[in-house]
Amino acid sequence: MERIYIGMGSNLADPAEQLRSAVEALGQLPQTTLAGVSAFYQSDSLLPGQPRYTNAVAALDSSLAPIELLDALQAIENDQGRERLERWGPRTLDLDILLFGDRLIDEPRLKVPHYQIQERAFVLYPLAELAPQDLRLADGRSLSDLLAACPFVGLERIPTD
Ligand code: ROI
């Protein structure tokens, strides 16, 4: 079993409901237990002219291989109506493998740790709700250093109800 953190995002078709469905689907993956879900956060898109995003992070314990998990996440995205029209376009659901145990993965389809973790408050703050305080990424960076360098700006924590 390895501890895996998944970044979730949506800015179409009732984003909070998309994330709730995604959590449900993650909980049903084979060889996998859902270990936790952060609060949901809203923020403006990093790209102008798109609807606001809702983001959250889920923690999984899984014995799936990284590419098996990636395939499963893409199947969930597709099930929830994801259409790949343009890179960075608005989407019903985005599921990103942020961290996979202490592995460094550099394959064409999958780079872990996710390469934009450090720039993204909407990933770091929900991750920090779930991860141990002293978490280090596989590349040696500490989560607390990344948080200190990434202000909590423009994030709005929303009630999960
Ligand atoms: N902006 C926010 N706030 N949240 C996202 O998940 C997100 N995802 C993206 C881009 C368009 C870069 N902006 C985002 O892909």
Side-chain angles (χ1 to χ4, degrees):
M1 285 294 202
E2 288 174 88
R3 168 55 55 90
I4 298 150
Y5 295 98
I6 306 293
M8 306 186 286
S10 171
N11 71 341
L12 292 178
D14 194 348
E17 189 53 38
Q18 296 293 338
L19 297 194
R20 283 191 285 270
S21 304
V23 166
E24 174 96 16
L26 291 173
Q28 312 209 336
L29 290 176
Q31 301 171 52
T32 302
T33 320
L34 180 68
V37 183
S38 74
F40 291 5
Y41 293 83
Q42 284 181 347
S43 56
D44 286 339
S45 175
L46 298 176
L47 294 180
Q50 287 189 19
R52 274 163 72 81
Y53 276 84
T54 302
N55 292 101
V57 170
L60 306 179
D61 290 314
S62 181
S63 54
L64 291 174
I67 294 294
E68 290 177 320
L69 179 61
L70 180 63
D71 285 338
L73 298 182
Q74 291 185 347
I76 295 170
E77 290 175 341
N78 293 337
D79 281 351
Q80 291 190 214
R82 171 100 179 245
E83 292 180 317
R84 291 167 194 277
L85 303 174
E86 43 171 330
R87 197 162 193 214
W88 313 123
R91 69 283 307 270
T92 50
L93 182 62
D94 190 28
L95 296 174
D96 290 330
I97 300 175
L98 303 172
L99 304 177
F100 198 114
D102 54 12
R103 296 188 200 216
L104 278 173
I105 303 170
D106 188 0
E107 294 181 24
R109 287 183 62 204
L110 183 60
K111 313 228 184 287
V112 176
H114 190 277
Y115 68 119
Q116 280 161 334
I117 284 186
Q118 67 279 353
E119 295 147 29
R120 297 186 161 186
F122 60 80
V123 171
L124 288 173
Y125 286 89
L127 174 61
E129 291 179 24
L130 302 175
Q133 196 102 68
D134 59 353
L135 181 83
R136 276 186 187 277
L137 314 202
D139 55 26
R141 294 178 296 165
S142 76
L143 179 59
S144 54
D145 285 351
L146 298 184
L147 285 164
C150 186
F152 186 93
V153 169
L155 274 190
E156 192 186 336
R157 199 173 196 272
I158 60 173
T160 321
D161 67 49

